[in-house]
Amino acid sequence: KQEVTQIPAALSVPEGENLVLNCSFTDSAIYNLQWFRQDPGKGLTSLLLIQSSQREQTSGRLNASLDKSSGRSTLYIAASQPGDSATYLCAVMGSGGSNYKLTFGKGTLLTVNP
Amino acid sequence: SAVISQKPSRDICQRGTSLTIQCQVDSQVTMMFWYRQQPGQSLTLIATANQGSEATYESGFVIDKFPISRPNLTFSTLTVSNMSPEDSSIYLCSVHPTGGQTGELFFGEGSRLTVL
């Protein structure tokens, strides 16, 4: 059974800092990995998707990497802003992708202080 | 991508009652899913809503408690039946766009349910 762990559970940084969020998964047979953002009491916004054959994806100040063999992904946020404050969720989709089921971590609660 | 609307966005309900949550998508989608997020927990898949047939439920979830309808390719409902305080959660609808090759899923804004 796939398990996804995110470290740290919470992170507080001053504005402008670069930071890294970590995600690990127990079964390396994945189809893809997605990073989401969730604001308090809200739904999920898709940030980045990495296919199992890819090593990284970039969008603006965000960069996500994937090391499938070691079961790890990182989300790098450059020059953090108070508006980046949210919970960041990592989710993996099982290999084959035929059922499109995602297994989620519990998330990292990020607070960026002005 | 897909634009997903959920109703209600939030509700406060009494123990023993039932509530139906609606999910409307702006385009036809093959796959629709319902997730639950209990306070402080990660998202858990409840079921896959299949168009024209019964939903496929994950371990620990049953049709009597969470009946699901999927009358067409753009709409689904999830009912939370005979609610108890343990059902207080955010319920999220998710879709995989038809023809999508990447496996990327999109989520609605969620329905925040509080059971007293």
Side-chain angles (χ1 to χ4, degrees):
Chain A
K1 179 185 173 184
Q2 179 75 271
E3 292 183 1
V4 179
T5 303
Q6 291 187 244
I7 295 174
L11 180 64
S12 181
V13 300
E15 182 176 4
E17 265 202 15
N18 303 324
L19 58 99
V20 175
L21 307 181
N22 297 291
C23 171
S24 62
F25 46 95
T26 55
D27 186 351
S28 62
I30 65 169
Y31 184 70
N32 65 37
L33 183 145
Q34 253 181 284
W35 282 95
F36 295 90
R37 168 187 172 136
Q38 184 177 32
D39 292 290
K42 298 292 187 180
L44 276 62
T45 300
S46 179
L47 296 174
L48 289 166
L49 173 110
I50 309 178
Q51 298 293 351
S52 61
S53 59
Q54 297 175 324
R55 297 284 293 182
E56 67 178 332
Q57 283 287 336
T58 298
S59 175
R61 294 182 293 108
L62 305 179
N63 176 276
S65 69
L66 174 65
D67 184 342
K68 195 177 76 164
S69 61
S70 68
R72 294 179 183 176
S73 176
T74 62
L75 179 66
Y76 175 83
I77 302 177
S80 58
Q81 304 170 358
D84 295 330
S85 298
T87 296
Y88 290 81
L89 296 167
C90 168
V92 297
M93 182 177 290
S95 62
S98 60
N99 55 23
Y100 302 105
K101 296 179 184 178
L102 289 175
T103 302
F104 283 83
K106 289 188 176 181
T108 293
L109 176 61
L110 173 65
T111 302
V112 181
N113 301 299
Chain B
S1 65
V3 177
I4 305 164
S5 301
Q6 279 189 237
K7 291 181 181 178
S9 57
R10 59 176 58 222
D11 207 340
I12 299 174
C13 303
Q14 297 299 317
R15 182 194 301 258
T17 63
S18 299
L19 179 75
T20 296
I21 302 167
Q22 299 180 359
C23 177
Q24 178 74 55
V25 191
D26 69 340
S27 58
Q28 293 185 345
V29 295
T30 305
M31 309 292 288
M32 293 183 76
F33 308 90
W34 287 98
Y35 283 82
R36 179 177 74 179
Q37 186 180 31
Q38 293 177 302
Q41 301 299 314
S42 61
L43 278 77
T44 302
L45 180 63
I46 298 172
T48 302
N50 302 307
Q51 196 267 329
S53 64
E54 276 196 5
T56 304
Y57 289 84
E58 297 300 303
S59 175
F61 297 97
V62 295
I63 187 170
D64 289 346
K65 176 66 176 178
F66 298 101
I68 288 171
S69 77
R70 176 93 191 268
N72 56 53
L73 293 175
T74 64
F75 186 78
S76 178
T77 67
L78 169 74
T79 298
V80 186
S81 302
N82 188 25
M83 288 183 286
S84 67
E86 292 72 33
D87 294 319
S88 297
S89 301
I90 300 175
Y91 292 87
L92 296 116
C93 172
S94 173
V95 305
H96 181 264
T98 301
Q101 299 296 316
T102 64
E104 185 173 11
L105 297 189
F106 298 91
F107 285 77
E109 285 291 303
S111 298
R112 186 169 197 150
L113 183 60
T114 301
V115 184
L116 302 177

